[in-house]
Amino acid sequence: MRVSVFTEPHRGADYDDQLRFARLVEETGFEGFFRADHYRAMGDEPALPGPTDAWLTLAALARETSRIRLGTLVTSATFRLPGPLAVMVAQVDRMSGGRVELGIGAGWFAREHTAYGIPFPPVSERFDRLAEQLEIVTGLWRTPLGETYSFTGEHYQLADAPALPKPVQQPGPPVIVGGRGPKRTPELAARYADEFNMPFKSVAETAAAYERVREACDRTGRDASGRAPLTLSAGVVVAIGRTDAEARRRAAPLHVTSALPPEDPVVGSPAQLVDRLGEFAAVGTTRVHLRLIDFDDLDHVELIAAEVLPQLDGPR
């Protein structure tokens, strides 16, 4: 089981908080540090000192870490144009020596769009734009050196792009597509992604999503094409402790009203988290992203590293 840490800086964290956290994640043996791409908190709290841009932050972390994977879960396709996004991610990949992953989705949180003047089209259009962005970003990365890339779609048009810079990872950084959508999300994952992620739901719901993705891979001919199989991953909300009281303290923020949909957290002991990860592994999960809430709670990271990671088979 590959294990990364997923964080939510929009809850309230500046760059130094994230750097300290990411360095500890690297030192304690996790595979990666991933962060959300949001411009405001989900509830009414001020979330001081305010938002930090995902890719600006990851660029800095790329220069101040040496081993861990770095990425987004997930970049909103409404925030950035696909051409500049491809340039941005490729540059951060070069800055990291080839450790970047792009998680990308259609966008969903209306309030952050209205708050910062970002257009927020209807959901069908957002998915149409996401599909075109996936085609463009991966197309730019895959264009051979010395050739140009053009694209004509309903929402984006590119003419003779030099398709530079090239990322270190070839044919490009791994792309993660995920979510609870039953139709378009599995299709997009099958066509464009390297990893499908089911975020923060039960084992049974996750297994059902994996089956939809497997069916989409069959329909699109992905498996027959010789492409690598999709990595199946799960996001898991975690609040564990050495005592029940410690676990409940860490779980307290989960009870605050927010815009997030219902989740299925693991609240309890390290052994309970090990058991849950075993259940995910049994339905095909090979990678998990553990969502840790408090950037000041470095002991939470150390506890998982000391009492959970050693019990998982295979490389992390």
Side-chain angles (χ1 to χ4, degrees):
M1 180 73 73
R2 300 163 57 196
V3 185
S4 292
V5 168
F6 168 67
T7 62
E8 296 182 319
H10 56 272
R11 289 177 178 265
D14 62 17
Y15 174 71
D16 287 337
D17 296 325
Q18 294 172 73
L19 174 60
R20 182 175 62 250
F21 208 80
R23 282 177 167 167
L24 182 61
V25 166
E26 182 166 83
E27 292 166 5
T28 51
F30 292 87
E31 182 191 48
F33 172 90
F34 286 73
R35 57 154 289 165
D37 186 12
H38 285 294
Y39 284 129
R40 64 164 298 158
M42 302 297 167
D44 295 327
E45 70 276 12
L48 297 175
T52 54
D53 182 82
W55 285 103
L56 182 61
T57 301
L58 292 171
L61 293 177
R63 306 303 289 177
E64 300 198 73
T65 58
S66 61
R67 181 189 60 79
I68 50 173
R69 307 291 298 175
L70 299 167
T72 49
L73 286 177
V74 293
T75 281
S76 175
T78 56
F79 289 173
R80 302 168 186 90
L81 296 171
L85 177 63
V87 171
M88 191 181 307
V89 178
Q91 181 181 358
V92 179
D93 194 52
R94 294 177 72 90
M95 293 169 70
S96 71
R99 294 183 285 122
V100 160
E101 305 186 27
L102 171 62
I104 185 168
W108 65 273
F109 188 32
R111 287 180 65 193
E112 67 185 337
H113 292 76
T114 56
Y116 287 96
I118 303 168
F120 189 65
V123 63
S124 60
E125 181 180 332
R126 297 202 306 273
F127 269 93
D128 291 342
R129 288 178 176 271
L130 173 60
E132 290 189 19
Q133 289 213 4
L134 285 163
E135 179 70 35
I136 292 166
V137 170
T138 57
L140 286 166
W141 290 340
R142 288 173 166 80
T143 298
L145 193 64
E147 297 184 13
T148 61
Y149 176 84
S150 298
F151 177 86
T152 301
E154 182 178 353
H155 302 287
Y156 307 104
Q157 297 80 40
L158 285 74
D160 299 324
L164 296 172
K166 294 303 182 194
V168 172
Q169 299 175 93
Q170 288 297 318
V175 173
I176 304 170
V177 170
R180 305 167 183 88
K183 296 180 180 179
R184 299 197 68 179
T185 298
E187 294 288 337
L188 292 174
R191 291 184 183 278
Y192 297 105
D194 300 283
E195 176 177 330
F196 171 79
N197 177 258
M198 181 61 167
F200 318 126
K201 304 301 284 186
S202 69
V203 174
E205 290 170 297
T206 300
Y210 290 170
E211 186 57 32
R212 292 192 293 269
V213 170
R214 292 188 185 102
E215 292 171 355
C217 287
D218 290 339
R219 286 194 302 272
T220 60
R222 178 194 177 100
D223 296 334
S225 70
R227 290 182 62 191
L230 269 175
T231 295
L232 299 177
S233 71
V236 184
V237 182
V238 175
I240 66 169
R242 297 172 184 83
T243 65
D244 289 344
E246 187 174 74
R248 288 196 298 271
R249 173 179 62 78
R250 287 182 169 135
L254 302 177
H255 305 298
V256 176
T257 301
S258 78
L260 289 169
E263 300 167 333
D264 189 36
V266 178
V267 179
S269 67
Q272 287 174 275
L273 178 55
V274 172
D275 289 344
R276 179 69 63 84
L277 297 185
E279 293 171 1
F280 276 113
V283 299
T285 306
T286 59
R287 189 186 202 189
V288 291
H289 302 275
L290 304 182
R291 194 181 96 194
L292 306 183
I293 294 172
D294 187 352
F295 275 94
D296 292 325
D297 191 359
L298 301 182
D299 180 65
H300 203 187
V301 177
E302 293 172 337
L303 175 61
I304 296 170
E307 300 195 23
V308 176
L309 295 191
Q311 300 189 58
L312 307 178
D313 294 331
R316 294 188 294 275

